[in-house]
Every structure is written in C-alpha cells, then in structure tokens.
Amino acid sequence: MTASPIRVVIIGAGYTGIWGYKFLKARLGSKLKSGDVQVTVIAPKTYHSFHGWTAESMTGIISIANRQSPLRRIFKGQNVLQAYVTKINLEGKIVSAQFLSDGRVEEIPFDHLLIANGSYDNMESVPGLHQHGYTVKAPGGVSTTRNQLLRLIETADSLPEGDEQKKWMTIVVAGGGFSGVEFSSNIAEMYQSFKKFYPVLQTSKIRLVLVHSGVNLLPVLRPRYEKLADYCTRELEKYGIEIRLNTRLVEVTEDGAQLSDGEFIPSKMVLSTVGQRMTALPGTESLPRNNRGQIIADEFLRVQGYDYLWVGGDTAQVMHRSGQPCPMNALWAIMHGKWAGENIAFTLSGKKLKPFTYRGLGQAASMGVGKGASELYTVQLTGWIGWFARFFFFLYFQPSRRQAVRVFGDWLSLPFLGRYMNLSKTWARQSETIQDPIT
C-alpha cells in the first residue's frame, strides 16, 4: 500500500454506482486489494434495491428482502458510509457527508468522484400527492405500497356493501409508461389470486383505473414497437382495468383522486409512477445541466472542465450514438457505470479513454406470470417467450449472485407456496421519510 492511496468516491449505490465499482475493480483489482486505490461509497441505505422485481415484490411473488443486495458484500474491502451528501467542494475535491447514525458531518477527500445519485418520483407535481399518494421510489416505498394493497382488501372484506367498501376497492395508478402498466396488471393479477381467500373478491371486483396524460399507453415503444405496446394494452383490458387517456391527476385527497376531465374517483390508494425529480447536490449547482436538471456528460462520462468528475444514470445526460440522450432506465444506468468505471481505471493507468458506444440491448415489461412483452435487439417477443426473456435478463443483471439465487427460489416456490400475504415492516408514509438532499 502506498503512503497516499488514490481515493475514488462514489455518490449513490444504484446501478451506476455499483457497476462503476464492478468495472473499476475488474480493471484495477490488484490495486484495490493492495490499497493503492481506495473506494468510498456514500449512500443513505445499506443495500441496493433491484428495481426489476418491483412489481413482483409489491404483489407478493418475491420477498422484498430478496431484491435487496447488501452493499457490504458488493463493496467488500472498501468504505461504505451510510450518509447523506451535504456539500461537494469540486475545486478542493472534498465531499461533506452527514452520517445517519449520529448526525455528525465528515469531510471525505477524493481524487476522482462519480456522481450517481439517480432520480426520484416527483411527489410535489400534484397537490396532495405527497401527503396522500404512494410511490415505490420513496424510502420503504415498496413495503408501504404492498402493505396498503393488503390493507385495502382486508378492510373491504370487513365492510358491508356500499360506497365505503367501493372506496377501499378502488385503486388509481397515474402514468402509462412501463411502471404504470406493469404495476396495474400485476396488482390486478394479485387480487385474482387472492379471490379464494377473501369473500368480498368473490362477490365484487377491484376497480383499477390507469390514468395517462398521453394519447396512447407506452409512448416509449411507439411507433417502432407497436406490437408490444398493443399487446400490453390488450392484457390490461383483459384484466378489466379502466384506461383513461388524455387525462391527468390534478389533486389527491384522503378520499380519492381528482382528474383533469372533472371526475373525482373515490379511492383509498393513488399510486404515482410519473414525473422524475433530479436533486442537485449542494456544490454542484454550477455544473452544466439540461432543462430536466441532468448534469451533461461528455462522451467519456466526464463533466466538461473536470478530468476527475464523472456522472451517469438518471442524474446525467449521456448521449447515445444516435445523437439522442440515453433513456432513463436501469440497463442504461448499468452501462453508464461500466463506462465510467472503466474510464476511471484507464485514467489511473494512463491509458486512452473509451467513448460511450453502447447501442442498447432491449426493454421488457411483465403483465403478469407468463405475460411478457420484451424487445431484444429489435426482436419483439410476447407471452411466455417474452416473459422468460425478461426473467433471465433480470436474474443476470441482479448485482448479487446470492440474492439472485434467493429470487429464483421465490419463483420456484410460487406454484406450491403461493404469494407472500404478510404485512412488511411498517414504514411511515412517504411524506415523513423523504429527506433532501438525498443520494
């Protein structure tokens, strides 16, 4: 170990941060082992949540714990700080972090900094959404959402027929992108599987309303992958889900959702999947950004004017070889991490940097077990073939092999043991847990 090791700090333990470290380690494993290069990751949680299994975790197919990979295993031998970033001194190369354990603030020096703090659902975009709505991206959001889905049916089952019972059996989902479509179909499937356990489901049906501001669902797939988008729409209709196009949420109250067409839908659950929020970490306000608030990266995943500052994931605008910004999803965040990690390693080794040339692999959605919609290298797959393509794709990219094995076990046991029906660890409502600035 050298007297003064090279210090790499990673802000955020999402896809970009984790894969940035994995590929840095792949290139500089011996230097990390000897201590010549030291990595410090700063994140408010002690685990990484794999978003690919969100719908399945929310609806009881997969244990929530099994989609969470412990950071101590991923960053074994490196520094893992459970903390929030309070300030970044770019010129002085110092990150100030406040520890969650005792509130103390510590200054962490760096030679290279990877900013990968991601994005969050904008719960302030609609009045009342922050106070009365649900989102899976909030701290404990999947647990909170799953608990409410179970409480809805437990409460409805105990109530007499009438308007109050209907309110507890009505769910409004905002957003017709991948998340909104997946969540709606998987929630409908979950309640279908619970029919034999709840008398109320044998006499009444859950009302699911999917609200989307556009003219068609899944605009990211249209017009190139019209077959997949139409397949997903048909599956939603088979579940009996009401699709409201050209309609927005305008207000959320304790008793329901007000829509832009004037209708008020009485409901005890409004789930938001719309509007991404970027958090500008203190000290980074002067960095070049686009109109969405993303930091603009160059072709090597660096920030212009800084040869030691790297960005990737949702918080960054990285250009695709087509000349358009990369999509904001997990696979692209992973590839941003790969390129950033390798280019940090190349910089430390005095090698030529590698420009970002990733073309893309595909995209996928699950409309329920055996109902997949996948695009792989422009080939459109639906039904069981599309479902299995997504299944193995997600298992492969889960950052922890241990957790991937556990997830596989959950799937194998599903036909025999059924879904998880117990309440998860109790979490406060999102409005009580979200903090800023967040990494």
Side-chain angles (χ1 to χ4, degrees):
M1 177 177 175
T2 61
S4 180
I6 296 172
R7 300 156 299 190
V8 178
V9 172
I10 299 173
I11 299 176
Y15 298 102
T16 300
I18 287 176
W19 264 266
Y21 170 72
K22 284 178 176 287
F23 281 89
L24 177 67
K25 181 181 178 182
R27 296 287 182 177
L28 298 178
S30 60
K31 292 185 179 295
L32 285 168
K33 189 174 182 179
S34 67
D36 292 336
V37 176
Q38 292 183 348
V39 173
T40 298
V41 60
I42 304 171
K45 297 185 293 186
T46 61
Y47 56 86
H48 164 82
S49 294
F50 185 74
H51 296 306
W53 303 121
T54 298
E56 289 85 354
S57 295
M58 186 175 67
T59 56
I61 293 176
I62 292 173
S63 164
I64 290 176
N66 288 346
R67 66 186 280 271
Q68 298 171 345
S69 301
L71 298 184
R72 297 286 178 178
R73 288 190 183 278
I74 295 172
F75 294 94
K76 184 180 179 181
Q78 305 304 315
N79 300 317
V80 178
L81 308 183
Q82 189 182 10
Y84 288 103
V85 171
T86 59
K87 187 177 181 181
I88 301 176
N89 183 339
L90 295 174
E91 304 304 327
K93 296 186 178 181
I94 294 175
V95 174
S96 297
Q98 183 175 21
F99 286 80
L100 272 70
S101 58
D102 56 11
R104 78 183 187 280
V105 176
E106 184 175 314
E107 293 187 341
I108 298 105
F110 65 84
D111 296 296
H112 287 270
L113 177 65
L114 172 57
I115 300 177
N117 57 309
S119 66
Y120 306 86
D121 287 342
N122 186 5
M123 298 297 280
E124 304 295 342
S125 59
V126 176
L129 186 60
H130 185 73
Q131 294 78 15
H132 305 293
Y134 291 82
T135 171
V136 297
K137 276 200 167 185
V142 175
S143 298
T144 305
T145 302
R146 192 175 90 177
N147 285 351
Q148 183 65 4
L149 290 172
L150 294 173
R151 288 193 189 101
L152 292 179
I153 196 59
E154 290 286 352
T155 303
D157 199 57
S158 68
L159 293 171
E161 290 187 21
D163 291 342
E164 187 66 16
Q165 186 190 70
K166 290 179 181 178
K167 186 190 302 183
W168 283 89
M169 294 186 70
T170 300
I171 300 169
V172 178
V173 179
F178 271 115
S179 295
V181 167
E182 273 198 327
F183 293 171
S184 298
S185 58
N186 278 268
I187 289 170
E189 182 189 56
M190 179 189 75
Y191 284 127
Q192 285 183 1
S193 71
F194 284 172
K195 189 174 181 179
K196 58 187 174 183
F197 302 112
Y198 294 95
V200 69
L201 290 177
Q202 298 167 21
T203 58
S204 303
K205 188 177 180 181
I206 290 286
R207 182 189 180 193
L208 251 164
V209 183
L210 177 59
V211 179
H212 180 55
S213 61
V215 296
N216 286 300
L217 297 177
L218 297 167
V220 70
L221 291 178
R222 301 178 189 272
R224 190 175 187 185
Y225 303 112
E226 203 85 23
K227 174 184 174 182
L228 297 184
D230 289 344
Y231 171 82
C232 292
T233 302
R234 289 196 302 270
E235 291 302 319
L236 290 172
E237 292 170 345
K238 288 178 183 178
Y239 282 119
I241 295 169
E242 300 175 33
I243 302 172
R244 303 292 183 87
L245 300 176
N246 296 306
T247 308
R248 297 177 293 102
L249 275 180
V250 295
E251 185 179 5
V252 179
T253 71
E254 186 178 0
D255 294 314
Q258 182 68 51
L259 306 185
S260 60
D261 61 5
E263 182 182 1
F264 181 82
I265 300 179
S267 170
K268 282 295 183 180
M269 185 171 193
V270 178
L271 177 60
S272 174
T273 67
V274 298
Q276 298 301 298
R277 181 186 68 180
M278 311 298 163
T279 299
L281 298 172
T284 67
E285 295 88 350
S286 63
L287 296 179
R289 296 177 184 271
N290 62 14
N291 56 9
R292 301 186 65 176
Q294 294 172 299
I295 301 172
I296 298 174
D298 68 10
E299 60 181 327
F300 305 113
L301 282 298
R302 293 179 308 190
V303 180
Q304 185 176 4
Y306 299 88
D307 59 4
Y308 54 84
L309 184 59
W310 312 79
V311 290
D314 288 356
T315 199
Q317 175 187 287
V318 180
M319 301 305 292
H320 185 261
R321 58 187 300 163
S322 65
Q324 297 297 316
C326 295
M328 292 172 59
N329 63 41
L331 178 59
W332 289 96
I334 287 171
M335 292 303 155
H336 293 172
K338 175 184 184 297
W339 254 262
E342 287 190 326
N343 279 334
I344 293 173
F346 291 153
T347 299
L348 299 181
S349 303
K351 297 180 180 178
K352 184 179 179 180
L353 301 186
K354 182 171 69 172
F356 187 76
T357 56
Y358 182 68
R359 293 188 175 187
L361 174 59
Q363 47 201 330
S366 171
M367 307 300 292
V369 179
K371 301 173 182 178
S374 300
E375 173 262 314
L376 295 176
Y377 295 116
T378 73
V379 178
Q380 301 180 64
L381 308 171
T382 59
W384 276 106
I385 295 177
W387 188 87
F388 274 116
R390 173 184 179 272
F391 176 79
F392 289 112
F393 176 85
F394 283 175
L395 277 183
Y396 177 80
F397 279 105
Q398 198 159 347
S400 167
R401 295 298 94 196
R402 291 171 182 263
Q403 299 306 95
V405 170
R406 289 178 173 129
V407 164
F408 189 66
D410 280 339
W411 278 109
L412 287 179
S413 66
L414 179 64
F416 309 102
L417 303 180
R419 298 171 186 254
Y420 293 95
M421 294 180 65
N422 56 303
L423 291 177
S424 305
K425 178 181 177 182
T426 302
W427 291 85
R429 185 175 291 278
Q430 286 90 331
S431 60
E432 298 171 354
T433 56
I434 291 179
Q435 302 181 46
D436 284 312
I438 194 167
T439 59

